[in-house]
Structure formats: structure tokens, C-alpha cells
Amino acid sequence: MARAENKSKYKKVSVWNWLGTLILCSIPGVRLIALILFIIFAKAQSKRSFAIAMLVLDVLVVALAIAAFLIFPDQLAQFAADLRGGDALLVMPQG
């Protein structure tokens, strides 16, 4: 029996292409620009979907971080001071 060919209008993405994509997305300053360019210019639907998903995830993480800073500012400042090993933001009671 003849095997039916699965002709897709979308281009397949090679392993090397995905590797380059992941390396570009791991560079902080390049990430946003690369994802936007992938959304606009990617010929493969899978790469376009990946870029959209990553941008949605980035927006969600930023929104959660902003919410955390608005809800728990003192606790986060204390945590940052503890990580630095200092007590710059500690208020010591007098007496």
C-alpha cells in the first residue's frame, strides 16, 4: 500500500534551528527582540507558536513580579537584604 504523503504548508524546523532559537532566547537583552522577530518573520508555524507562548509567559512572570512587589514590599526588601548579607533595611527597636 502506498504511503500517503503528509504535505504541509508549513516548514519543518531542524534541531539546529531550535538550538539556535533557544540560545538566542537565553540572552536577556536579545530575548524580547528575537521573540518579536520570530512572531513576525518565522516561516514555521511551530516557531511562531513557540515565540507567542514565550512572550505570554514573560508577560505573566512580569505581572506576577509586579504584584508581589506591590503586595509584599517589606518582606521582599528584607529578603533582598538577607541575600546581600546586610541589615540595611532592618529597623531595630529602641530600648
Side-chain angles (χ1 to χ4, degrees):
M1 203 169 11
R3 187 174 165 187
E5 289 186 33
N6 184 10
K7 293 192 176 192
S8 176
K9 63 180 179 176
Y10 300 115
K11 181 182 174 191
K12 290 185 179 180
V13 182
S14 70
V15 173
W16 290 107
N17 195 324
W18 278 118
L19 185 63
T21 300
L22 292 174
I23 290 171
L24 277 176
C25 288
S26 67
I27 303 170
V30 177
R31 178 185 180 101
L32 179 64
I33 296 167
L35 290 175
I36 292 171
L37 291 176
F38 291 150
I39 290 171
I40 297 170
F41 297 114
K43 294 178 183 175
Q45 182 63 35
S46 61
K47 187 173 270 195
R48 186 175 291 123
S49 296
F50 170 79
I52 292 170
M54 291 302 294
L55 275 177
V56 168
L57 187 62
D58 287 348
V59 167
L60 183 64
V61 167
V62 168
L64 288 174
I66 290 171
F69 279 107
L70 291 174
I71 295 170
F72 306 112
D74 297 333
Q75 291 85 351
L76 290 173
Q78 180 62 46
F79 179 67
D82 291 342
L83 287 177
R84 286 190 300 265
D87 54 344
L89 298 176
L90 289 178
V91 177
M92 302 300 285
Q94 298 292 332

